[in-house]
């Protein structure tokens, strides 16, 4: 059969984005019909198998050929056979349909109440003890729910939340933004960590102003704990003199143990030798921990279940 040019508009490299989107909406529903007709080589039988009117199927195939500008079928009464162009197109259509079905199965699996997936972000400082404990407690009632875990600093997690890469995140400070929903869950006291041989190491408590002349090691700008450190020092009447900036609290403890400065840090999961941790009496040194999610974003059943679980842990989120 000779391929006749079509008078209908067709896709071309110069089509703009709106034309491409509109053509995709037109083509997409017809691909499964095309594959069904190609498989059976009989329009009536394909219509019966796909439970659609034969007239609908026939019109769809004609319009598909017009949209593409090529003949996909050679027609022999009620039977059809693929043209060379039809065979080429079928191979791509079958791959596309298989990929769509694979993606559909994946999202259905992720949304399954019993075995679905939760994309969960949290601060580095909560990875050693807090989050493992939470997951252990949650999976007592939801043993097959899967988790994709992301450790990062607060601002980076909020960016991933907005991008749809995370369902929920534990962060500090608790964000206040119109596109996010955030709930305070707990509070974590911060301590002034000093080297074991430091002149302040014999103390149990300290006013932060007494450390005004010390060299500090801190997290990098953009980290919530860095912002809290700067704010507390400002409230105590000084700007900290910073010698080292890092990305992880336990690295900072190592720097303190090496005598390279002091730091304001949350309690460690396991006590570290070489440092002494002092209670800060003034100003009040603590950080709020909260859970955040995207406003208006629908929850799958496993995400909704884990969100309810986290909210039920208000005041008891952190290990004592």
């Amino acid at each position: 059969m000779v391929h006749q040019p079509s008078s209908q508009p067709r896709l071309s490299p110069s089509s703009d984005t709106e034309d491409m989107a509109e053509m995709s909406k037109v083509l997409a529903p017809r691909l499964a019909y095309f594959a069904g007709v190609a498989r059976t080589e009989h329009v009536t039988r394909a219509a019966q198998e796909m439970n659609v009117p034969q007239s609908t199927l026939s019109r769809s195939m004609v319009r598909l050929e017009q949209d593409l500008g090529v003949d996909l079928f050679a027609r022999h009464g009620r039977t059809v056979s693929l043209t060379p162009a039809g065979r080429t197109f079928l191979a791509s259509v079958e791959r596309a349909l298989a990929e769509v079905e694979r993606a559909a199965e994946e999202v259905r699996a992720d949304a399954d109440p019993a075995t679905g997936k939760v994309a969960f972000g949290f601060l580095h400082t909560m990875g050693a003890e807090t989050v493992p404990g939470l997951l252990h407690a949650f999976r007592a009632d939801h043993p097959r729910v899967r988790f994709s875990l992301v450790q990062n600093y607060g601002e980076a997690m909020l960016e991933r939340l907005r991008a749809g890469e995370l369902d929920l995140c534990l962060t500090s400070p608790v964000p206040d933004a119109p596109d996010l929903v955030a709930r305070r869950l707990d509070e974590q006291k911060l301590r002034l960590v000093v080297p074991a041989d430091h002149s302040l190491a014999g103390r149990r408590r300290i006013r932060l102003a007494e450390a005004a002349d010390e060299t500090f090691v801190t997290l990098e700008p953009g980290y919530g704990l860095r912002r809290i450190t700067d704010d507390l020092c400002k409230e105590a009447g000084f700007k900290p003199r910073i010698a080292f900036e890092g990305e992880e609290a336990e690295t900072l403890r190592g720097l303190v143990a090496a005598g390279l400065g002091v730091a304001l840090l949350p309690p460690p999961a396991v006590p570290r030798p070489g440092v002494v941790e002092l209670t800060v009496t003034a100003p009040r040194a603590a950080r709020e921990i909260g859970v955040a999610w995207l406003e208006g974003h629908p929850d799958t059943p496993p995400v909704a279940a884990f969100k309810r679980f986290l909210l039920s842990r208000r005041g008891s989120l952190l290990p004592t």
Side-chain angles (χ1 to χ4, degrees), residues 17-53:
T17 303
E18 291 183 2
D19 291 340
M20 292 285 287
E22 188 62 30
M23 187 62 75
S24 295
K25 288 192 291 185
V26 171
L27 285 174
R30 297 174 186 159
L31 298 182
Y33 290 168
F34 166 74
V37 174
R39 183 178 64 254
T40 62
E41 295 189 331
H42 199 284
V43 176
T44 302
R45 192 176 306 132
Q48 291 171 344
E49 289 184 2
M50 292 186 283
N51 197 28
V52 296

Side-chain angles (χ1 to χ4, degrees), residues 293-310:
W293 61 89
L294 197 60
E295 170 69 39
H297 192 273
D299 292 333
T300 62
V303 171
F306 190 56
K307 182 188 293 184
R308 289 193 298 270
F309 169 79
L310 291 176

Side-chain angles (χ1 to χ4, degrees), residues 192-204:
L192 185 70
V193 185
V194 302
D197 58 357
H198 194 277
S199 59
L200 295 172
R203 302 271 297 274
R204 295 184 60 188

Side-chain angles (χ1 to χ4, degrees), residues 9-277:
R10 69 183 68 179
L11 290 173
S12 70
S14 61
S15 298
D16 60 26
T17 303
E18 291 183 2
D19 291 340
M20 292 285 287
E22 188 62 30
M23 187 62 75
S24 295
K25 288 192 291 185
V26 171
L27 285 174
R30 297 174 186 159
L31 298 182
Y33 290 168
F34 166 74
V37 174
R39 183 178 64 254
T40 62
E41 295 189 331
H42 199 284
V43 176
T44 302
R45 192 176 306 132
Q48 291 171 344
E49 289 184 2
M50 292 186 283
N51 197 28
V52 296
Q54 180 178 331
S55 59
T56 299
L57 199 57
S58 296
R59 285 195 300 270
S60 293
M61 293 304 94
V62 170
R63 289 172 182 167
L64 180 60
E65 290 176 315
Q66 291 174 343
D67 289 338
L68 296 173
V70 296
D71 293 317
L72 300 173
F73 296 103
R75 290 163 174 82
H76 319 281
R78 293 185 177 181
T79 64
V80 296
S81 61
L82 287 169
T83 64
R87 286 193 294 273
T88 299
F89 190 57
L90 177 63
S92 296
V93 167
E94 288 180 331
R95 286 195 298 269
L97 292 175
E99 180 62 19
V100 168
E101 180 58 27
R102 185 203 63 77
E105 286 297 327
E106 184 175 320
V107 296
R108 281 195 290 265
D110 286 350
D112 185 276
T115 62
K117 184 172 73 173
V118 179
F120 182 44
F122 52 92
L123 301 168
H124 288 285
T125 51
M126 309 195 78
E129 189 172 4
T130 300
V131 168
L134 289 173
L135 299 183
H136 177 77
F138 176 74
R139 295 193 77 191
D141 294 324
H142 304 81
R144 294 191 293 160
V145 168
R146 297 168 290 124
F147 283 84
S148 172
L149 301 177
V150 174
Q151 288 180 269
N152 216 321
Y153 66 97
E155 288 300 322
M157 283 194 297
L158 297 184
E159 289 177 9
R160 297 186 70 166
L161 201 62
R162 290 183 170 104
E165 298 173 12
L166 292 176
D167 298 309
L168 302 164
C169 68
L170 287 181
T171 188
S172 178
V174 180
D176 181 14
D179 60 335
L180 300 177
V181 180
R183 297 287 183 268
R184 181 186 183 278
L185 296 179
D186 215 335
E187 181 180 88
Q188 189 173 46
K189 291 183 178 180
L190 303 179
R191 300 168 179 171
L192 185 70
V193 185
V194 302
D197 58 357
H198 194 277
S199 59
L200 295 172
R203 302 271 297 274
R204 295 184 60 188
R205 295 176 173 81
I206 189 172
R207 291 178 296 108
L208 190 56
E210 296 178 72
D213 294 331
E214 299 292 335
T215 297
F216 278 72
V217 296
T218 71
L219 296 179
E220 294 177 348
Y223 284 71
L225 187 57
R226 169 61 180 272
R227 193 185 337 160
I228 293 170
T229 296
D230 290 344
D231 290 346
L232 287 172
C233 291
K234 182 178 180 180
E235 189 176 347
F238 69 96
K239 181 177 181 180
R241 187 172 71 253
I242 297 171
F244 295 93
E245 295 175 331
E247 297 180 345
E248 208 276 321
E250 287 311 300
T251 299
L252 298 186
R253 270 194 176 80
L255 295 175
V256 173
L260 300 175
V262 302
L264 276 169
L265 295 173
V270 178
R272 183 179 186 123
V275 301
V276 174
E277 311 215 357

